Amino acid sequence: MKLNILFPVLNEHLRLERGITKCAAYLRALASKEGSILYGESYRLTIVDNGSDDDTEEIGQRLAQKYEEVDYIRIEERGVGIAFKTGVERNTAEIVGYMDIDLSTDLKYLAKTLRIFDQRPCIDYVNASRFHRRSHTTGRKWYRKITSAGLLVLLKTVFGMKATDAICGFTFIRKEKAEELVKQCSDDKGWFYMIELLLRAERSGVRIADLPVDWTEDYDTTVKIPKTVKNYLVNIVKLKLAFLSE
């Protein structure tokens, strides 16, 4: 089962090398262990740099030269959404997904995700959750807990969302289904794109596995809360109107 992990990055010079190095080491160990879910399989780590203006590009290119399994893609438009879409359009692996470069979700869930796809052919989408009753989160700041919980309530109220988390930063999808969903989604380039992807998957009847995870807050996060909340509210209204007209 071939795997491609997309890492959307924007001005991540402080975390990029650490994240890729740690993930590459984990996957190499998993792929070399006889009997493991990744044993003998190929995998890629794709850095999708969406408009960095620091030395992220230099670090990304150096990592791609250092590691055979690492690719570096540069696009000039900013946003996780456009980065994910670009990665999916260029992907050739059976399973494609994205992770935050801070590796907030424990890497052991990569193996668990692959086992789900392998053992449950009906599942096309694995969505990690910080809010599942069996999840464990560490270091979550109080104001981010409030904004995340508020977003969850809104999505469940407005769209009837079934998933227990909308944007954990750890999502994997079978290739064909990912391509279908990307074609259905809007042109939003930001974080809300990933929420729309999940909502459209549910709306289309895609079988989704809600994956409880161990998740650790990164105190150096680059997410700007007020701007993000405003973006979410605007896009919730736009997507609801779009769903009503479809």
Side-chain angles (χ1 to χ4, degrees), residues 49-160:
D49 180 357
N50 51 111
S52 295
D53 53 18
D54 61 0
D55 55 348
T56 293
E57 180 173 7
E58 178 185 336
I59 296 169
Q61 290 179 340
R62 175 160 49 80
L63 289 168
Q65 293 176 351
K66 180 178 180 180
Y67 296 105
E68 182 181 350
E69 63 270 36
V70 174
D71 296 315
Y72 173 83
I73 297 173
R74 169 81 183 192
I75 56 177
E76 297 307 322
E77 294 180 274
R78 293 190 170 190
V80 172
I82 188 66
F84 179 82
K85 179 181 179 181
T86 300
V88 168
E89 290 173 343
R90 300 190 188 189
N91 170 65
T92 59
E94 297 168 71
I95 304 297
V96 61
Y98 89 105
M99 290 179 61
D100 290 337
I101 195 62
D102 59 18
L103 306 183
S104 291
T105 300
D106 195 299
L107 285 169
K108 68 184 179 183
Y109 292 100
L110 285 174
K112 292 189 177 186
T113 295
L114 290 174
R115 280 193 216 100
I116 291 173
F117 284 121
D118 183 57
Q119 297 172 5
R120 300 169 64 185
C122 63
I123 295 295
D124 286 319
Y125 193 125
V126 173
N127 184 63
S129 172
R130 299 159 294 180
F131 303 110
H132 192 284
R133 64 182 182 278
R134 297 201 306 273
S135 296
H136 298 92
T137 62
T138 304
R140 188 75 168 155
K141 297 176 182 178
W142 66 268
Y143 56 86
R144 298 202 69 184
K145 287 182 180 179
I146 292 173
T147 54
S148 295
L151 174 63
L152 200 60
V153 169
L154 271 174
L155 294 175
K156 287 185 175 295
T157 301
V158 177
F159 299 100

Side-chain angles (χ1 to χ4, degrees), residues 10-16 18-19 54 100-104 138-141 143-144 191 215-225:
L10 173 63
N11 294 337
E12 291 285 9
H13 68 286
L14 294 177
R15 297 181 290 192
L16 179 54
R18 179 183 62 195
D54 61 0
D100 290 337
I101 195 62
D102 59 18
L103 306 183
S104 291
T138 304
R140 188 75 168 155
K141 297 176 182 178
Y143 56 86
R144 298 202 69 184
W191 277 103
W215 191 92
T216 304
E217 174 79 80
D218 185 338
Y219 287 100
D220 292 323
T221 179
T222 58
V223 175
K224 297 178 180 178
I225 300 296

